[in-house]
PDB file of all heavy atoms in Angstrom:
ATOM      1  N   ILE A 695     -11.060 -32.707 -17.836  1.00 87.00           N
ATOM      2  CA  ILE A 695     -10.421 -31.781 -16.899  1.00 87.00           C
ATOM      3  C   ILE A 695     -11.176 -30.462 -16.773  1.00 87.00           C
ATOM      4  O   ILE A 695     -10.841 -29.647 -15.914  1.00 87.00           O
ATOM      5  CB  ILE A 695      -8.946 -31.523 -17.269  1.00 87.00           C
ATOM      6  CG1 ILE A 695      -8.808 -31.036 -18.712  1.00 87.00           C
ATOM      7  CG2 ILE A 695      -8.114 -32.768 -17.054  1.00 87.00           C
ATOM      8  CD1 ILE A 695      -7.358 -30.760 -19.117  1.00 87.00           C
ATOM      9  N   ALA A 696     -12.195 -30.239 -17.587  1.00 89.00           N
ATOM     10  CA  ALA A 696     -13.022 -29.039 -17.432  1.00 89.00           C
ATOM     11  C   ALA A 696     -14.359 -29.250 -18.129  1.00 89.00           C
ATOM     12  O   ALA A 696     -14.427 -29.847 -19.204  1.00 89.00           O
ATOM     13  CB  ALA A 696     -12.321 -27.809 -17.995  1.00 89.00           C
ATOM     14  N   ASP A 697     -15.430 -28.762 -17.501  1.00 91.00           N
ATOM     15  CA  ASP A 697     -16.788 -28.838 -18.041  1.00 91.00           C
ATOM     16  C   ASP A 697     -17.504 -27.581 -17.559  1.00 91.00           C
ATOM     17  O   ASP A 697     -18.033 -27.541 -16.447  1.00 91.00           O
ATOM     18  CB  ASP A 697     -17.477 -30.107 -17.537  1.00 91.00           C
ATOM     19  CG  ASP A 697     -18.872 -30.294 -18.105  1.00 91.00           C
ATOM     20  OD1 ASP A 697     -19.382 -29.358 -18.753  1.00 91.00           O
ATOM     21  OD2 ASP A 697     -19.462 -31.378 -17.891  1.00 91.00           O
ATOM     22  N   CYS A 698     -17.469 -26.513 -18.371  1.00 90.00           N
ATOM     23  CA  CYS A 698     -17.959 -25.216 -17.908  1.00 90.00           C
ATOM     24  C   CYS A 698     -18.159 -24.278 -19.095  1.00 90.00           C
ATOM     25  O   CYS A 698     -17.870 -24.645 -20.230  1.00 90.00           O
ATOM     26  CB  CYS A 698     -16.963 -24.595 -16.926  1.00 90.00           C
ATOM     27  SG  CYS A 698     -15.294 -24.389 -17.614  1.00 90.00           S
ATOM     28  N   THR A 699     -18.635 -23.066 -18.822  1.00 88.00           N
ATOM     29  CA  THR A 699     -18.764 -22.074 -19.885  1.00 88.00           C
ATOM     30  C   THR A 699     -17.384 -21.533 -20.248  1.00 88.00           C
ATOM     31  O   THR A 699     -16.411 -21.724 -19.512  1.00 88.00           O
ATOM     32  CB  THR A 699     -19.650 -20.907 -19.444  1.00 88.00           C
ATOM     33  OG1 THR A 699     -18.978 -20.167 -18.413  1.00 88.00           O
ATOM     34  CG2 THR A 699     -20.999 -21.398 -18.928  1.00 88.00           C
ATOM     35  N   VAL A 700     -17.314 -20.838 -21.379  1.00 84.00           N
ATOM     36  CA  VAL A 700     -16.045 -20.259 -21.822  1.00 84.00           C
ATOM     37  C   VAL A 700     -15.535 -19.251 -20.795  1.00 84.00           C
ATOM     38  O   VAL A 700     -14.356 -19.260 -20.422  1.00 84.00           O
ATOM     39  CB  VAL A 700     -16.204 -19.593 -23.200  1.00 84.00           C
ATOM     40  CG1 VAL A 700     -14.913 -18.871 -23.597  1.00 84.00           C
ATOM     41  CG2 VAL A 700     -16.572 -20.622 -24.257  1.00 84.00           C
ATOM     42  N   ASP A 701     -16.416 -18.364 -20.315  1.00 83.00           N
ATOM     43  CA  ASP A 701     -16.001 -17.342 -19.349  1.00 83.00           C
ATOM     44  C   ASP A 701     -15.522 -17.975 -18.051  1.00 83.00           C
ATOM     45  O   ASP A 701     -14.533 -17.523 -17.463  1.00 83.00           O
ATOM     46  CB  ASP A 701     -17.163 -16.377 -19.064  1.00 83.00           C
ATOM     47  CG  ASP A 701     -17.461 -15.468 -20.248  1.00 83.00           C
ATOM     48  OD1 ASP A 701     -16.581 -15.331 -21.126  1.00 83.00           O
ATOM     49  OD2 ASP A 701     -18.568 -14.906 -20.296  1.00 83.00           O
ATOM     50  N   GLU A 702     -16.224 -19.008 -17.594  1.00 84.00           N
ATOM     51  CA  GLU A 702     -15.808 -19.693 -16.365  1.00 84.00           C
ATOM     52  C   GLU A 702     -14.452 -20.345 -16.547  1.00 84.00           C
ATOM     53  O   GLU A 702     -13.607 -20.321 -15.639  1.00 84.00           O
ATOM     54  CB  GLU A 702     -16.850 -20.744 -15.980  1.00 84.00           C
ATOM     55  CG  GLU A 702     -18.148 -20.167 -15.456  1.00 84.00           C
ATOM     56  CD  GLU A 702     -19.237 -21.216 -15.299  1.00 84.00           C
ATOM     57  OE1 GLU A 702     -19.095 -22.315 -15.888  1.00 84.00           O
ATOM     58  OE2 GLU A 702     -20.231 -20.935 -14.608  1.00 84.00           O
ATOM     59  N   PHE A 703     -14.215 -20.921 -17.717  1.00 82.00           N
ATOM     60  CA  PHE A 703     -12.942 -21.582 -17.985  1.00 82.00           C
ATOM     61  C   PHE A 703     -11.793 -20.588 -17.955  1.00 82.00           C
ATOM     62  O   PHE A 703     -10.754 -20.827 -17.333  1.00 82.00           O
ATOM     63  CB  PHE A 703     -12.995 -22.277 -19.345  1.00 82.00           C
ATOM     64  CG  PHE A 703     -11.746 -23.014 -19.700  1.00 82.00           C
ATOM     65  CD1 PHE A 703     -11.501 -24.284 -19.210  1.00 82.00           C
ATOM     66  CD2 PHE A 703     -10.788 -22.437 -20.529  1.00 82.00           C
ATOM     67  CE1 PHE A 703     -10.334 -24.957 -19.529  1.00 82.00           C
ATOM     68  CE2 PHE A 703      -9.628 -23.106 -20.857  1.00 82.00           C
ATOM     69  CZ  PHE A 703      -9.398 -24.376 -20.356  1.00 82.00           C
ATOM     70  N   ILE A 704     -11.976 -19.456 -18.622  1.00 77.00           N
ATOM     71  CA  ILE A 704     -10.921 -18.441 -18.664  1.00 77.00           C
ATOM     72  C   ILE A 704     -10.658 -17.885 -17.276  1.00 77.00           C
ATOM     73  O   ILE A 704      -9.510 -17.729 -16.854  1.00 77.00           O
ATOM     74  CB  ILE A 704     -11.297 -17.306 -19.641  1.00 77.00           C
ATOM     75  CG1 ILE A 704     -11.335 -17.836 -21.076  1.00 77.00           C
ATOM     76  CG2 ILE A 704     -10.305 -16.149 -19.540  1.00 77.00           C
ATOM     77  CD1 ILE A 704     -11.843 -16.832 -22.092  1.00 77.00           C
ATOM     78  N   SER A 705     -11.725 -17.610 -16.532  1.00 77.00           N
ATOM     79  CA  SER A 705     -11.588 -17.042 -15.193  1.00 77.00           C
ATOM     80  C   SER A 705     -10.876 -17.997 -14.238  1.00 77.00           C
ATOM     81  O   SER A 705     -10.037 -17.581 -13.434  1.00 77.00           O
ATOM     82  CB  SER A 705     -12.967 -16.683 -14.638  1.00 77.00           C
ATOM     83  OG  SER A 705     -12.884 -16.200 -13.320  1.00 77.00           O
ATOM     84  N   ALA A 706     -11.184 -19.290 -14.346  1.00 75.00           N
ATOM     85  CA  ALA A 706     -10.627 -20.267 -13.412  1.00 75.00           C
ATOM     86  C   ALA A 706      -9.198 -20.673 -13.745  1.00 75.00           C
ATOM     87  O   ALA A 706      -8.472 -21.160 -12.869  1.00 75.00           O
ATOM     88  CB  ALA A 706     -11.508 -21.513 -13.382  1.00 75.00           C
ATOM     89  N   ASN A 707      -8.780 -20.477 -14.997  1.00 71.00           N
ATOM     90  CA  ASN A 707      -7.486 -21.014 -15.418  1.00 71.00           C
ATOM     91  C   ASN A 707      -6.508 -19.975 -15.938  1.00 71.00           C
ATOM     92  O   ASN A 707      -5.603 -20.295 -16.699  1.00 71.00           O
ATOM     93  CB  ASN A 707      -7.720 -22.086 -16.488  1.00 71.00           C
ATOM     94  CG  ASN A 707      -8.507 -23.252 -15.969  1.00 71.00           C
ATOM     95  OD1 ASN A 707      -8.026 -24.049 -15.180  1.00 71.00           O
ATOM     96  ND2 ASN A 707      -9.768 -23.352 -16.381  1.00 71.00           N
ATOM     97  N   SER A 708      -6.695 -18.733 -15.534  1.00 68.00           N
ATOM     98  CA  SER A 708      -5.741 -17.696 -15.908  1.00 68.00           C
ATOM     99  C   SER A 708      -5.634 -16.697 -14.770  1.00 68.00           C
ATOM    100  O   SER A 708      -6.584 -16.493 -14.012  1.00 68.00           O
ATOM    101  CB  SER A 708      -6.177 -16.986 -17.194  1.00 68.00           C
ATOM    102  OG  SER A 708      -7.459 -16.404 -17.032  1.00 68.00           O
ATOM    103  N   GLN A 709      -4.488 -16.099 -14.650  1.00 69.00           N
ATOM    104  CA  GLN A 709      -4.229 -15.160 -13.564  1.00 69.00           C
ATOM    105  C   GLN A 709      -4.577 -13.738 -13.998  1.00 69.00           C
ATOM    106  O   GLN A 709      -4.268 -13.316 -15.106  1.00 69.00           O
ATOM    107  CB  GLN A 709      -2.760 -15.234 -13.146  1.00 69.00           C
ATOM    108  CG  GLN A 709      -2.450 -14.481 -11.859  1.00 69.00           C
ATOM    109  CD  GLN A 709      -1.014 -14.702 -11.417  1.00 69.00           C
ATOM    110  OE1 GLN A 709      -0.124 -14.899 -12.238  1.00 69.00           O
ATOM    111  NE2 GLN A 709      -0.778 -14.669 -10.124  1.00 69.00           N
ATOM    112  N   LEU A 710      -5.260 -13.016 -13.083  1.00 74.00           N
ATOM    113  CA  LEU A 710      -5.616 -11.631 -13.362  1.00 74.00           C
ATOM    114  C   LEU A 710      -4.356 -10.779 -13.467  1.00 74.00           C
ATOM    115  O   LEU A 710      -3.440 -10.886 -12.654  1.00 74.00           O
ATOM    116  CB  LEU A 710      -6.509 -11.088 -12.240  1.00 74.00           C
ATOM    117  CG  LEU A 710      -6.913  -9.622 -12.355  1.00 74.00           C
ATOM    118  CD1 LEU A 710      -7.797  -9.398 -13.571  1.00 74.00           C
ATOM    119  CD2 LEU A 710      -7.630  -9.167 -11.087  1.00 74.00           C
ATOM    120  N   ARG A 711      -4.319  -9.929 -14.497  1.00 83.00           N
ATOM    121  CA  ARG A 711      -3.194  -9.016 -14.667  1.00 83.00           C
ATOM    122  C   ARG A 711      -3.712  -7.607 -14.913  1.00 83.00           C
ATOM    123  O   ARG A 711      -4.785  -7.407 -15.478  1.00 83.00           O
ATOM    124  CB  ARG A 711      -2.311  -9.448 -15.838  1.00 83.00           C
ATOM    125  CG  ARG A 711      -1.620 -10.794 -15.639  1.00 83.00           C
ATOM    126  CD  ARG A 711      -0.699 -11.102 -16.806  1.00 83.00           C
ATOM    127  NE  ARG A 711      -1.449 -11.167 -18.054  1.00 83.00           N
ATOM    128  CZ  ARG A 711      -0.893 -11.049 -19.257  1.00 83.00           C
ATOM    129  NH1 ARG A 711       0.422 -10.836 -19.369  1.00 83.00           N
ATOM    130  NH2 ARG A 711      -1.627 -11.123 -20.353  1.00 83.00           N
ATOM    131  N   VAL A 712      -2.914  -6.625 -14.475  1.00 90.00           N
ATOM    132  CA  VAL A 712      -3.268  -5.225 -14.652  1.00 90.00           C
ATOM    133  C   VAL A 712      -2.081  -4.497 -15.285  1.00 90.00           C
ATOM    134  O   VAL A 712      -0.942  -4.626 -14.818  1.00 90.00           O
ATOM    135  CB  VAL A 712      -3.609  -4.561 -13.299  1.00 90.00           C
ATOM    136  CG1 VAL A 712      -3.987  -3.094 -13.510  1.00 90.00           C
ATOM    137  CG2 VAL A 712      -4.730  -5.311 -12.589  1.00 90.00           C
ATOM    138  N   ARG A 713      -2.353  -3.770 -16.382  1.00 91.00           N
ATOM    139  CA  ARG A 713      -1.306  -2.978 -17.022  1.00 91.00           C
ATOM    140  C   ARG A 713      -1.383  -1.547 -16.496  1.00 91.00           C
ATOM    141  O   ARG A 713      -2.460  -0.943 -16.446  1.00 91.00           O
ATOM    142  CB  ARG A 713      -1.473  -2.970 -18.537  1.00 91.00           C
ATOM    143  CG  ARG A 713      -0.352  -2.188 -19.257  1.00 91.00           C
ATOM    144  CD  ARG A 713      -0.443  -2.265 -20.755  1.00 91.00           C
ATOM    145  NE  ARG A 713      -1.687  -1.727 -21.257  1.00 91.00           N
ATOM    146  CZ  ARG A 713      -2.573  -2.421 -21.976  1.00 91.00           C
ATOM    147  NH1 ARG A 713      -2.336  -3.696 -22.238  1.00 91.00           N
ATOM    148  NH2 ARG A 713      -3.681  -1.861 -22.400  1.00 91.00           N
ATOM    149  N   VAL A 714      -0.201  -1.021 -16.096  1.00 94.00           N
ATOM    150  CA  VAL A 714      -0.140   0.313 -15.501  1.00 94.00           C
ATOM    151  C   VAL A 714       0.958   1.122 -16.175  1.00 94.00           C
ATOM    152  O   VAL A 714       2.046   0.613 -16.450  1.00 94.00           O
ATOM    153  CB  VAL A 714       0.160   0.237 -13.983  1.00 94.00           C
ATOM    154  CG1 VAL A 714       0.144   1.638 -13.370  1.00 94.00           C
ATOM    155  CG2 VAL A 714      -0.838  -0.661 -13.274  1.00 94.00           C
ATOM    156  N   ARG A 715       0.645   2.372 -16.450  1.00 94.00           N
ATOM    157  CA  ARG A 715       1.657   3.333 -16.905  1.00 94.00           C
ATOM    158  C   ARG A 715       1.691   4.463 -15.886  1.00 94.00           C
ATOM    159  O   ARG A 715       0.660   5.037 -15.538  1.00 94.00           O
ATOM    160  CB  ARG A 715       1.326   3.879 -18.294  1.00 94.00           C
ATOM    161  CG  ARG A 715       1.382   2.829 -19.388  1.00 94.00           C
ATOM    162  CD  ARG A 715       1.115   3.435 -20.768  1.00 94.00           C
ATOM    163  NE  ARG A 715       0.971   2.402 -21.777  1.00 94.00           N
ATOM    164  CZ  ARG A 715       1.986   1.831 -22.419  1.00 94.00           C
ATOM    165  NH1 ARG A 715       3.226   2.234 -22.155  1.00 94.00           N
ATOM    166  NH2 ARG A 715       1.785   0.893 -23.317  1.00 94.00           N
ATOM    167  N   THR A 716       2.891   4.752 -15.426  1.00 94.00           N
ATOM    168  CA  THR A 716       3.072   5.768 -14.398  1.00 94.00           C
ATOM    169  C   THR A 716       4.471   6.371 -14.506  1.00 94.00           C
ATOM    170  O   THR A 716       5.418   5.669 -14.904  1.00 94.00           O
ATOM    171  CB  THR A 716       2.883   5.157 -12.986  1.00 94.00           C
ATOM    172  OG1 THR A 716       3.256   6.122 -11.996  1.00 94.00           O
ATOM    173  CG2 THR A 716       3.738   3.913 -12.798  1.00 94.00           C
ATOM    174  N   PRO A 717       4.634   7.653 -14.153  1.00 94.00           N
ATOM    175  CA  PRO A 717       5.985   8.231 -14.132  1.00 94.00           C
ATOM    176  C   PRO A 717       6.795   7.762 -12.927  1.00 94.00           C
ATOM    177  O   PRO A 717       7.970   8.095 -12.805  1.00 94.00           O
ATOM    178  CB  PRO A 717       5.720   9.746 -14.076  1.00 94.00           C
ATOM    179  CG  PRO A 717       4.363   9.873 -13.501  1.00 94.00           C
ATOM    180  CD  PRO A 717       3.597   8.672 -13.946  1.00 94.00           C
ATOM    181  N   GLN A 718       6.178   6.968 -12.044  1.00 93.00           N
ATOM    182  CA  GLN A 718       6.865   6.450 -10.851  1.00 93.00           C
ATOM    183  C   GLN A 718       6.784   4.919 -10.803  1.00 93.00           C
ATOM    184  O   GLN A 718       6.291   4.342  -9.833  1.00 93.00           O
ATOM    185  CB  GLN A 718       6.210   7.050  -9.598  1.00 93.00           C
ATOM    186  CG  GLN A 718       6.250   8.571  -9.539  1.00 93.00           C
ATOM    187  CD  GLN A 718       5.156   9.145  -8.650  1.00 93.00           C
ATOM    188  OE1 GLN A 718       4.037   9.373  -9.093  1.00 93.00           O
ATOM    189  NE2 GLN A 718       5.493   9.356  -7.387  1.00 93.00           N
ATOM    190  N   PRO A 719       7.277   4.255 -11.837  1.00 92.00           N
ATOM    191  CA  PRO A 719       7.111   2.792 -11.908  1.00 92.00           C
ATOM    192  C   PRO A 719       7.817   2.032 -10.796  1.00 92.00           C
ATOM    193  O   PRO A 719       7.287   1.050 -10.293  1.00 92.00           O
ATOM    194  CB  PRO A 719       7.706   2.441 -13.284  1.00 92.00           C
ATOM    195  CG  PRO A 719       8.648   3.558 -13.592  1.00 92.00           C
ATOM    196  CD  PRO A 719       8.024   4.775 -12.992  1.00 92.00           C
ATOM    197  N   ASP A 720       8.995   2.484 -10.403  1.00 92.00           N
ATOM    198  CA  ASP A 720       9.740   1.770  -9.367  1.00 92.00           C
ATOM    199  C   ASP A 720       8.993   1.795  -8.038  1.00 92.00           C
ATOM    200  O   ASP A 720       8.914   0.780  -7.325  1.00 92.00           O
ATOM    201  CB  ASP A 720      11.137   2.366  -9.193  1.00 92.00           C
ATOM    202  CG  ASP A 720      12.014   2.128 -10.412  1.00 92.00           C
ATOM    203  OD1 ASP A 720      11.690   1.215 -11.200  1.00 92.00           O
ATOM    204  OD2 ASP A 720      13.007   2.852 -10.586  1.00 92.00           O
ATOM    205  N   GLN A 721       8.449   2.955  -7.706  1.00 93.00           N
ATOM    206  CA  GLN A 721       7.725   3.085  -6.443  1.00 93.00           C
ATOM    207  C   GLN A 721       6.472   2.201  -6.445  1.00 93.00           C
ATOM    208  O   GLN A 721       6.200   1.493  -5.469  1.00 93.00           O
ATOM    209  CB  GLN A 721       7.335   4.541  -6.192  1.00 93.00           C
ATOM    210  CG  GLN A 721       6.627   4.758  -4.844  1.00 93.00           C
ATOM    211  CD  GLN A 721       6.279   6.229  -4.604  1.00 93.00           C
ATOM    212  OE1 GLN A 721       6.683   7.104  -5.352  1.00 93.00           O
ATOM    213  NE2 GLN A 721       5.537   6.473  -3.535  1.00 93.00           N
ATOM    214  N   LEU A 722       5.722   2.233  -7.565  1.00 93.00           N
ATOM    215  CA  LEU A 722       4.503   1.425  -7.634  1.00 93.00           C
ATOM    216  C   LEU A 722       4.832  -0.070  -7.629  1.00 93.00           C
ATOM    217  O   LEU A 722       4.112  -0.866  -7.022  1.00 93.00           O
ATOM    218  CB  LEU A 722       3.696   1.783  -8.878  1.00 93.00           C
ATOM    219  CG  LEU A 722       2.344   1.066  -9.010  1.00 93.00           C
ATOM    220  CD1 LEU A 722       1.453   1.383  -7.807  1.00 93.00           C
ATOM    221  CD2 LEU A 722       1.641   1.453 -10.310  1.00 93.00           C
ATOM    222  N   ALA A 723       5.923  -0.438  -8.259  1.00 92.00           N
ATOM    223  CA  ALA A 723       6.321  -1.847  -8.289  1.00 92.00           C
ATOM    224  C   ALA A 723       6.616  -2.357  -6.887  1.00 92.00           C
ATOM    225  O   ALA A 723       6.215  -3.469  -6.518  1.00 92.00           O
ATOM    226  CB  ALA A 723       7.542  -2.028  -9.190  1.00 92.00           C
ATOM    227  N   LYS A 724       7.296  -1.553  -6.091  1.00 93.00           N
ATOM    228  CA  LYS A 724       7.598  -1.951  -4.699  1.00 93.00           C
ATOM    229  C   LYS A 724       6.321  -2.076  -3.885  1.00 93.00           C
ATOM    230  O   LYS A 724       6.151  -3.012  -3.097  1.00 93.00           O
ATOM    231  CB  LYS A 724       8.540  -0.934  -4.068  1.00 93.00           C
ATOM    232  CG  LYS A 724       9.946  -0.944  -4.649  1.00 93.00           C
ATOM    233  CD  LYS A 724      10.813   0.123  -4.003  1.00 93.00           C
ATOM    234  CE  LYS A 724      12.213   0.146  -4.599  1.00 93.00           C
ATOM    235  NZ  LYS A 724      13.062   1.205  -4.011  1.00 93.00           N
ATOM    236  N   LEU A 725       5.391  -1.128  -4.076  1.00 94.00           N
ATOM    237  CA  LEU A 725       4.127  -1.170  -3.342  1.00 94.00           C
ATOM    238  C   LEU A 725       3.320  -2.419  -3.719  1.00 94.00           C
ATOM    239  O   LEU A 725       2.747  -3.087  -2.848  1.00 94.00           O
ATOM    240  CB  LEU A 725       3.309   0.089  -3.648  1.00 94.00           C
ATOM    241  CG  LEU A 725       3.866   1.409  -3.101  1.00 94.00           C
ATOM    242  CD1 LEU A 725       3.123   2.586  -3.721  1.00 94.00           C
ATOM    243  CD2 LEU A 725       3.746   1.446  -1.580  1.00 94.00           C
ATOM    244  N   ALA A 726       3.287  -2.714  -5.011  1.00 92.00           N
ATOM    245  CA  ALA A 726       2.531  -3.876  -5.473  1.00 92.00           C
ATOM    246  C   ALA A 726       3.135  -5.173  -4.941  1.00 92.00           C
ATOM    247  O   ALA A 726       2.408  -6.081  -4.520  1.00 92.00           O
ATOM    248  CB  ALA A 726       2.493  -3.900  -7.000  1.00 92.00           C
ATOM    249  N   ALA A 727       4.464  -5.265  -4.937  1.00 92.00           N
ATOM    250  CA  ALA A 727       5.128  -6.466  -4.428  1.00 92.00           C
ATOM    251  C   ALA A 727       4.856  -6.651  -2.943  1.00 92.00           C
ATOM    252  O   ALA A 727       4.625  -7.770  -2.469  1.00 92.00           O
ATOM    253  CB  ALA A 727       6.626  -6.387  -4.693  1.00 92.00           C
ATOM    254  N   THR A 728       4.863  -5.559  -2.201  1.00 92.00           N
ATOM    255  CA  THR A 728       4.578  -5.621  -0.761  1.00 92.00           C
ATOM    256  C   THR A 728       3.146  -6.098  -0.506  1.00 92.00           C
ATOM    257  O   THR A 728       2.875  -6.798   0.478  1.00 92.00           O
ATOM    258  CB  THR A 728       4.773  -4.237  -0.117  1.00 92.00           C
ATOM    259  OG1 THR A 728       6.118  -3.805  -0.348  1.00 92.00           O
ATOM    260  CG2 THR A 728       4.510  -4.283   1.374  1.00 92.00           C
ATOM    261  N   ALA A 729       2.226  -5.739  -1.418  1.00 93.00           N
ATOM    262  CA  ALA A 729       0.816  -6.116  -1.262  1.00 93.00           C
ATOM    263  C   ALA A 729       0.528  -7.523  -1.782  1.00 93.00           C
ATOM    264  O   ALA A 729      -0.623  -7.969  -1.770  1.00 93.00           O
ATOM    265  CB  ALA A 729      -0.068  -5.108  -1.988  1.00 93.00           C
ATOM    266  N   GLY A 730       1.561  -8.220  -2.257  1.00 90.00           N
ATOM    267  CA  GLY A 730       1.375  -9.594  -2.706  1.00 90.00           C
ATOM    268  C   GLY A 730       1.295  -9.773  -4.205  1.00 90.00           C
ATOM    269  O   GLY A 730       1.042 -10.875  -4.691  1.00 90.00           O
ATOM    270  N   GLY A 731       1.511  -8.700  -4.962  1.00 89.00           N
ATOM    271  CA  GLY A 731       1.468  -8.796  -6.414  1.00 89.00           C
ATOM    272  C   GLY A 731       2.815  -9.181  -7.002  1.00 89.00           C
ATOM    273  O   GLY A 731       3.851  -9.115  -6.325  1.00 89.00           O
ATOM    274  N   THR A 732       2.790  -9.585  -8.255  1.00 89.00           N
ATOM    275  CA  THR A 732       4.003  -9.901  -9.006  1.00 89.00           C
ATOM    276  C   THR A 732       4.125  -8.920 -10.153  1.00 89.00           C
ATOM    277  O   THR A 732       3.173  -8.727 -10.913  1.00 89.00           O
ATOM    278  CB  THR A 732       3.956 -11.342  -9.554  1.00 89.00           C
ATOM    279  OG1 THR A 732       3.795 -12.256  -8.464  1.00 89.00           O
ATOM    280  CG2 THR A 732       5.230 -11.673 -10.320  1.00 89.00           C
ATOM    281  N   VAL A 733       5.301  -8.301 -10.284  1.00 91.00           N
ATOM    282  CA  VAL A 733       5.476  -7.233 -11.261  1.00 91.00           C
ATOM    283  C   VAL A 733       6.443  -7.662 -12.353  1.00 91.00           C
ATOM    284  O   VAL A 733       7.515  -8.212 -12.069  1.00 91.00           O
ATOM    285  CB  VAL A 733       5.991  -5.943 -10.579  1.00 91.00           C
ATOM    286  CG1 VAL A 733       6.167  -4.832 -11.610  1.00 91.00           C
ATOM    287  CG2 VAL A 733       5.034  -5.514  -9.475  1.00 91.00           C
ATOM    288  N   THR A 734       6.052  -7.422 -13.596  1.00 89.00           N
ATOM    289  CA  THR A 734       6.934  -7.649 -14.744  1.00 89.00           C
ATOM    290  C   THR A 734       6.917  -6.401 -15.622  1.00 89.00           C
ATOM    291  O   THR A 734       5.994  -5.585 -15.541  1.00 89.00           O
ATOM    292  CB  THR A 734       6.482  -8.863 -15.575  1.00 89.00           C
ATOM    293  OG1 THR A 734       5.128  -8.657 -16.014  1.00 89.00           O
ATOM    294  CG2 THR A 734       6.568 -10.140 -14.761  1.00 89.00           C
ATOM    295  N   GLU A 735       7.953  -6.261 -16.447  1.00 88.00           N
ATOM    296  CA  GLU A 735       8.045  -5.129 -17.355  1.00 88.00           C
ATOM    297  C   GLU A 735       8.047  -5.632 -18.790  1.00 88.00           C
ATOM    298  O   GLU A 735       9.021  -6.247 -19.238  1.00 88.00           O
ATOM    299  CB  GLU A 735       9.319  -4.326 -17.074  1.00 88.00           C
ATOM    300  CG  GLU A 735       9.351  -3.709 -15.685  1.00 88.00           C
ATOM    301  CD  GLU A 735      10.586  -2.853 -15.457  1.00 88.00           C
ATOM    302  OE1 GLU A 735      11.199  -2.451 -16.463  1.00 88.00           O
ATOM    303  OE2 GLU A 735      10.932  -2.606 -14.295  1.00 88.00           O
ATOM    304  N   PRO A 736       6.958  -5.414 -19.539  1.00 85.00           N
ATOM    305  CA  PRO A 736       6.877  -5.893 -20.920  1.00 85.00           C
ATOM    306  C   PRO A 736       7.874  -5.229 -21.863  1.00 85.00           C
ATOM    307  O   PRO A 736       8.129  -5.737 -22.945  1.00 85.00           O
ATOM    308  CB  PRO A 736       5.440  -5.537 -21.334  1.00 85.00           C
ATOM    309  CG  PRO A 736       4.709  -5.334 -20.049  1.00 85.00           C
ATOM    310  CD  PRO A 736       5.712  -4.790 -19.084  1.00 85.00           C
TER     311      PRO A 736
END
């Protein structure tokens, strides 16, 4: 099911995520969702 380098494997089979800290989390979450992102709160 895979024949590639380690970096290629990780890149192809995992979703990019970005961690953000902001004093306006609700506003940024709405903006990100509108732009097609998915927001979670750890």
